[in-house]
Amino acid sequence: MALFLLGRRFFTCRADINMTAVHAYCSSVASGRQRVNGVDLYYEQTGRGRHAVLLLPGALGSTKTDFGPQLKSLNKELFTVVGWDPRGYGQSRPPDRDFPSDFFERDAKDAVDLMKTLGFSKFSLLGWSDGGITALVAAARNPNLINKMVVWGSNAFISQQDLKLYEGSICLELLPLISCPTLIIHGEKDPMVPSFHPQHLLQHIKGSRLHLMPEGKHNLHLKYADEFNKLVEDFLQQ
């Protein structure tokens, strides 16, 4: 769900994360900063597999807060996993975070350019919440670079049912441009993203598929990490 629309969501979402997302990191995780588009972006990298995967965190999130179980447990023989802090988040400061009207486009460009700077010519995207929106934009803008994509807790537009603060498109017009195989995961108990959002993504991203988790909430990849990781690994290997 779009960050700039949901003031209340900041606190609810981050509270969920703080209770479940602090996991021990594998000792093989390397970290550093890369200069990308004028800012120093923090990243963490683990694994030695041929299939590169970029993790895109949610609103106000970082690789440490949002993806501990994925950095720790995704198969390191099959995948090289990169987590990053978008500009103004986590350890990618300075600069302070700002929210111009095109910040999803900016984050998408930063994410793709970071991976290219790290030497990855093609890679997959795992995007949660606002990070899922960034992933949708990145996949639409860079069809030749994106291998596969998994998104959850994300939306492409705002409706009156979404807190009634704003109504419009976030990246709705870009969905038909997405050509990579896409897995949409939705927690049926997600209080922040109504079920019509993943259904809309399913209808407008060609060849996409939808997996429902009946007990899943917004942070399903943290609370049900083993199930989520297995689902992602199977999809990425197909």
Side-chain angles (χ1 to χ4, degrees), residues 7 17 24 31 65 83-84 89 98 126 130 133 149 153 158 168 208 230:
I17 293 167
S31 63
T65 62
W84 76 306
Y89 288 175
D98 62 346
L126 269 63
D130 273 28
I133 299 171
M149 177 170 59
I158 300 300
S208 62
K230 179 64 164 58

Side-chain angles (χ1 to χ4, degrees), residues 18-210:
N18 288 337
M19 290 190 295
T20 59
V22 180
H23 295 265
Y25 282 89
C26 175
S27 60
S28 63
V29 173
S31 63
R33 288 179 174 81
Q34 282 286 340
R35 190 73 174 175
V36 177
N37 299 326
V39 297
D40 293 321
L41 296 178
Y42 176 82
Y43 72 96
E44 297 189 1
Q45 180 175 325
T46 186
R48 50 193 172 272
R50 297 183 63 183
H51 191 148
V53 179
L54 177 64
L55 310 174
L56 297 103
L60 302 183
S62 68
T63 184
K64 288 185 182 297
T65 62
D66 289 8
F67 289 115
Q70 286 66 53
L71 284 166
K72 179 182 178 182
S73 300
L74 284 175
N75 191 310
K76 292 173 173 50
E77 298 297 325
L78 296 174
F79 307 107
T80 296
V81 181
V82 178
W84 76 306
D85 295 357
R87 64 170 69 199
Y89 288 175
Q91 297 187 59
S92 291
R93 295 177 289 181
D96 292 333
R97 182 67 178 189
D98 62 346
F99 296 96
S101 61
D102 65 344
F103 76 88
F104 284 119
E105 293 272 1
R106 184 183 64 183
D107 284 351
K109 179 171 172 51
D110 282 350
V112 169
D113 289 349
L114 172 63
M115 291 298 279
K116 292 193 291 186
T117 300
L118 293 175
F120 300 106
S121 59
K122 195 162 187 176
F123 48 92
S124 292
L125 303 173
L126 269 63
W128 175 42
S129 194
D130 273 28
I133 299 171
T134 301
L136 293 170
V137 175
R141 297 298 192 196
N142 304 275
N144 295 327
L145 298 179
I146 307 306
N147 188 3
K148 293 187 175 184
M149 177 170 59
V150 182
V151 294
W152 66 104
S154 306
N155 56 304
F157 67 97
I158 300 300
S159 77
Q160 290 293 339
Q161 294 174 251
D162 297 316
L163 297 188
K164 300 182 180 179
L165 292 180
Y166 182 89
E167 183 171 4
S169 172
I170 301 172
C171 60
L172 189 63
E173 69 284 356
L174 298 180
L175 300 184
L177 302 179
I178 296 173
S179 58
C180 64
T182 299
L183 174 62
I184 304 154
I185 303 174
H186 181 64
E188 294 191 84
K189 293 185 177 180
D190 188 335
M192 303 176 190
V193 180
S195 61
F196 58 79
H197 283 299
Q199 291 291 342
H200 187 90
L201 295 178
L202 180 67
Q203 293 168 13
H204 290 83
I205 300 176
K206 185 177 180 180
S208 62
R209 67 182 74 171
L210 173 63

